[in-house]
Amino acid sequence: ELEEVLKEDGADLLLDDKSFSLELWLELIEHAQQQCPAFFRLIDRIEQDMEFGRPPALKDLVFEVDLENVVTKRANLFVFMHNLSKKSRTVVFRVQSPDFRPNQISMRYDLAPGKEMWWSSESLPIAIEGNEDVLGKMTGLLRDGTMAWQTLLPERFGEATVSVRLEEVSGDLLIGRQINVNVRNEFRRRLRRIVTLSTQVMGSLVITLATVLEMLEIFNV
């Protein structure tokens, strides 16, 4: 399966390298998931849509966007677009939020058509030989598509909203979404962790002490 994503030489290099053990790969993936959960949610949604043969948000354009539900220092906004038509097209992606900096973002993308039709209207198996599976289609889709990563800096704590719009160059709306997030104080989050850990440790000590006292009482020590 790895060889469908990487070239054969690259896959062999990673698989044969003693530094990259299975445990290390799992740790790296887990760390990435913790740091950028929105990216993995976005990929998971596309994968599920492909697996069950769901149509994309737009007839001739794959569009997915995601942002963390809980934000502390910064928010990571991920956007994926892929042109399913046979002609190049230009779109404008806009981000608006009074709760983050920058408050407004406008980016223009020239989307070339994919080399193949990577989206299927029928359900697909996860992995089989060839490209007629989710893994093969996802590989081509991500390779030919456009992924954007925008960092947003919160200006206040509490509930916040981020509005995203995908438009034609003329300004006509193609699709729009509003994302609600919660901006939390990093100090409070760490303090909450410390308090929770301290409570767990104290609880364990109390249980241990009670057990020892009970044993001493049983043996009349």
Side-chain angles (χ1 to χ4, degrees), residues 12-205:
D12 291 339
L13 181 64
L14 290 177
L15 293 174
D16 296 337
D17 193 329
K18 296 181 180 179
S19 301
F20 288 94
S21 62
L22 177 60
E23 291 75 14
L24 179 58
W25 276 113
L26 293 176
E27 289 179 6
L28 291 173
I29 293 173
E30 183 180 1
H31 178 73
Q33 289 176 329
Q34 292 175 352
Q35 295 299 314
C36 298
F39 172 79
F40 288 89
R41 283 204 307 261
L42 184 151
I43 297 299
D44 285 343
R45 280 203 305 275
I46 297 176
E47 182 179 337
Q48 290 177 10
D49 288 344
M50 281 193 161
E51 182 180 359
F52 294 104
R54 300 182 187 128
L58 299 169
K59 182 179 179 181
D60 56 355
L61 183 67
V62 178
F63 175 78
E64 280 292 344
V65 60
D66 209 326
L67 182 71
E68 293 99 331
N69 301 114
V70 178
V71 175
T72 52
K73 295 180 180 179
R74 60 184 177 273
N76 298 298
L77 177 67
F78 290 93
V79 183
F80 177 77
M81 293 172 284
H82 177 70
N83 184 3
L84 294 175
S85 70
K86 297 181 179 180
K87 297 181 180 180
S88 298
R89 65 181 303 177
T90 302
V91 295
V92 177
F93 178 68
R94 299 187 189 277
V95 182
Q96 295 177 325
S97 176
D99 305 309
F100 290 91
R101 299 193 319 269
N103 299 126
Q104 295 190 35
I105 302 171
S106 178
M107 294 176 285
R108 180 169 172 156
Y109 291 96
D110 295 321
L111 305 177
K115 295 180 180 179
E116 296 183 27
M117 183 59 178
W118 295 115
W119 199 274
S120 174
S121 59
E122 300 179 358
S123 58
L124 297 172
I126 294 295
I128 59 174
E129 187 175 354
N131 289 329
E132 295 304 314
D133 57 10
V134 174
L135 182 60
K137 295 287 187 181
M138 281 287 293
T139 300
L141 190 75
L142 295 176
R143 183 181 61 239
D144 292 351
T146 299
M147 179 73 74
W149 179 3
Q150 177 66 45
T151 299
L152 303 174
L153 302 178
E155 292 191 321
R156 60 183 63 87
F157 300 122
E159 297 298 323
T161 59
V162 177
S163 298
V164 297
R165 292 169 56 94
L166 189 67
E167 303 174 353
E168 298 279 13
V169 178
S170 61
D172 293 337
L173 177 66
L174 291 172
I175 189 171
R177 293 178 184 171
Q178 179 171 298
I179 305 173
N180 299 317
V181 300
N182 186 276
V183 182
R184 295 182 182 176
N185 189 309
E186 177 71 9
F187 174 75
R188 290 182 179 178
R189 186 175 68 89
R190 291 184 178 180
L191 182 61
R192 190 180 296 110
R193 282 185 178 180
I194 294 173
V195 171
T196 301
L197 181 61
S198 300
T199 303
Q200 292 174 348
V201 172
M202 288 297 295
S204 300
L205 290 176

Side-chain angles (χ1 to χ4, degrees), residues 203-221:
S204 300
L205 290 176
V206 170
I207 293 174
T208 303
L209 180 60
T211 303
V212 172
L213 292 176
E214 186 175 350
M215 293 292 293
L216 292 175
E217 185 177 350
I218 292 175
F219 292 102
N220 295 320
V221 177

